[in-house]
Amino acid sequence: METFVNQYQKRIRYIDALRGFTMFLVVLGHVMITSLNISRDSIVCTFFLSFRMPIFFFISGYIAYNATNLWTPSFFIQKIKKKAFVQIIPACLFFTLYFLSRHRNFGELCQYVINTGFGGYWFTFVLFEMFVIYYISSFIGKYIHNKITDILLILVCFFLLWFVHSEYNPQIGFLNLDNLFNYLKFFTFGILCKKYHIVFLQLINNDYFRTVVIMSFILSFYLILDKDILNSHFNYYMLLKNYTIRFTGLLTIFIFFHNKKSFFEKEKFFSRLLQYIGKRTLDIYLLHYFFIPYIPVCITSYITQTNMSIIQITLSSILSIIIIFICLLLSEIIRSSNILSHYCFGVDSKNKTS
């Protein structure tokens, strides 16, 4: 992934910053819910959770797209093996360490994985499944027609929409099918936006389009806070919550970073910091669970009220920044060993890329 970034550094430098910002939101969300006991239905969590993971998967798809026509069987297998080593092995390692540090029972670990999956580490496994779907579609598209790749990706999204909510869904925990369904559409959207980036950039540079997107996001956010809509128009509410606010939210954030891309071309501390975090998203994601503090309810109860949003965001942000700093420091220590960086973060010891 970083090889691709290096090849097109000037073009997607703001993408690295966007990934860094999104990683901050991931840590922020976990701190809010786990440490400060803020409800997922609160105004603060509803706002950040509406676009946090969608934009992460969108950016993953946006970067994943490769215009190559080298989809031979050997190239296909090589891509699968590389992604498996980067995303599966490190996640299994850190999940095992995290679980055993809490439960100290290996038998319980196996049972947990079979029934539930990999807990908070579901992201890398689901992302790997998405890459497999994309690679298979690209492989088929090479030998039939380029457009087949797009059609297959869209069809898989619709299939999962039916499959996950059907009676045939076997609910296999370790496959994380629910999360695969919920976020594959954003990964696919990212691929298509990068593949047809000229049209996409024309749209987000159009002021009318930007206005519609931003206003739709604000309106959607306002509407999903209205519980009367939930009770009287459930289907419309779910459409707003699962689709409208998520797509307009991720586009709003992308538009902002794209509009400010000249800022990220400058060698400023803040822009370089966000880009650095963006290039270490896997490291931070794998490490941050170990450092999320537990704060007793008797303390957090004072700041969980709805009128404490500013304090909630401030405290969560401070804790998140501290956690990210610790993760980056530990990441650099681990990466000082080629062997550890290879197995912990999937870094290619020859090319020094992950």
Side-chain angles (χ1 to χ4, degrees):
M1 185 176 293
E2 286 186 13
T3 301
F4 183 81
V5 171
N6 290 335
Q7 290 175 347
Y8 300 91
Q9 188 174 9
K10 290 185 177 181
R11 181 183 179 87
I12 65 170
R13 187 173 292 182
Y14 72 97
I15 296 293
D16 275 335
L18 176 54
R19 293 177 69 219
F21 173 71
T22 311
M23 189 67 245
F24 168 76
L25 292 182
V26 170
V27 179
L28 182 74
H30 292 160
V31 168
M32 284 182 174
I33 296 170
T34 305
S35 298
L36 301 183
N37 299 304
I38 300 174
S39 171
R40 287 179 174 270
D41 296 327
S42 66
I43 295 176
V44 171
C45 283
T46 299
F47 177 76
F48 287 116
L49 295 181
S50 66
F51 59 80
R52 181 192 65 174
M53 295 311 295
I55 197 167
F56 217 124
F57 281 106
F58 171 81
I59 294 301
S60 298
Y62 195 84
I63 295 176
Y65 173 72
N66 193 339
T68 182
N69 196 34
L70 299 175
W71 288 103
T72 61
S74 59
F75 180 75
F76 172 78
I77 294 173
Q78 179 186 0
K79 295 285 284 185
I80 294 291
K81 288 172 62 178
K82 183 177 180 180
K83 280 300 173 185
F85 193 88
V86 171
Q87 295 175 332
I88 301 299
I89 293 179
C92 285
L93 172 64
F94 280 97
F95 172 75
T96 301
L97 291 174
Y98 180 80
F99 188 92
L100 293 179
S101 69
R102 265 57 177 179
H103 302 278
R104 303 180 187 278
N105 189 319
F106 190 80
E108 190 176 331
L109 166 66
C110 298
Q111 193 66 30
Y112 183 91
V113 170
I114 294 172
N115 295 331
T116 309
F118 294 89
Y121 288 90
W122 64 268
F123 172 81
T124 54
F125 294 94
V126 169
L127 187 59
F128 173 73
E129 293 170 357
M130 293 179 182
F131 272 107
V132 171
I133 292 172
Y134 168 53
Y135 291 159
I136 292 175
S137 301
S138 299
F139 181 77
I140 295 174
K142 171 182 169 57
Y143 293 98
I144 301 178
H145 193 280
N146 184 43
K147 297 294 183 182
I148 291 295
T149 301
D150 308 344
I151 296 172
L152 287 175
L153 287 172
I154 295 172
L155 286 177
V156 170
C157 290
F158 279 105
F159 170 75
L160 288 177
L161 172 63
W162 167 81
F163 182 73
V164 172
H165 293 284
S166 72
E167 59 182 338
Y168 305 104
N169 181 5
Q171 296 294 327
I172 303 175
F174 67 88
L175 291 181
N176 291 286
L177 294 179
D178 290 346
N179 286 322
L180 179 62
F181 156 68
N182 285 330
Y183 298 110
L184 179 62
K185 53 184 174 287
F186 304 112
F187 182 81
T188 300
F189 184 48
I191 290 174
L192 296 178
C193 287
K194 185 59 183 293
K195 185 174 184 178
Y196 305 102
H197 70 279
I198 296 178
V199 176
F200 176 61
L201 294 181
Q202 286 176 343
L203 278 175
I204 64 174
N205 285 324
N206 184 286
D207 194 49
Y208 291 104
F209 179 80
R210 292 194 299 237
T211 302
V212 171
V213 167
I214 295 171
M215 292 304 298
S216 297
F217 174 61
I218 295 172
L219 179 61
S220 299
F221 176 68
Y222 171 78
L223 290 175
I224 65 172
L225 294 177
D226 188 348
K227 298 305 178 183
D228 291 336
I229 297 179
L230 172 62
N231 297 326
S232 57
H233 302 285
F234 179 77
N235 290 332
Y236 291 110
Y237 177 85
M238 296 307 295
L239 179 64
L240 284 171
K241 183 178 180 180
N242 294 329
Y243 293 92
T244 307
I245 193 171
R246 289 185 166 192
F247 277 103
T248 57
L250 75 85
L251 283 173
T252 297
I253 302 301
F254 189 92
I255 286 170
F256 172 79
F257 274 81
H258 176 75
N259 193 45
K260 299 298 180 183
K261 64 180 179 179
S262 60
F263 169 79
F264 297 108
E265 295 294 329
K266 302 175 183 178
E267 293 295 324
K268 300 293 184 180
F269 172 78
F270 183 71
S271 62
R272 291 174 62 188
L273 177 62
L274 277 182
Q275 291 171 53
Y276 180 66
I277 294 173
K279 294 178 181 179
R280 292 288 185 268
T281 53
L282 179 63
D283 304 32
I284 297 170
Y285 180 77
L286 294 173
L287 290 168
H288 83 280
Y289 285 107
F290 293 88
F291 303 106
I292 296 178
Y294 169 75
I295 302 176
V297 177
C298 59
I299 298 176
T300 60
S301 60
Y302 292 102
I303 61 171
T304 54
Q305 290 83 1
T306 56
N307 61 344
M308 302 286 282
S309 297
I310 299 298
I311 295 178
Q312 292 170 5
I313 294 174
T314 302
L315 291 179
S316 299
S317 298
I318 293 173
L319 284 174
S320 299
I321 291 171
I322 294 173
I323 292 171
I324 290 174
F325 175 79
I326 294 173
C327 291
L328 289 175
L329 179 61
L330 187 56
S331 168
E332 288 300 319
I333 294 174
I334 294 174
R335 282 175 176 263
S336 64
S337 164
N338 289 335
I339 296 174
L340 287 177
S341 62
H342 183 56
Y343 288 100
C344 291
F345 303 129
V347 177
D348 189 332
S349 56
K350 296 180 180 180
N351 300 321
K352 298 296 291 181
T353 59
S354 59

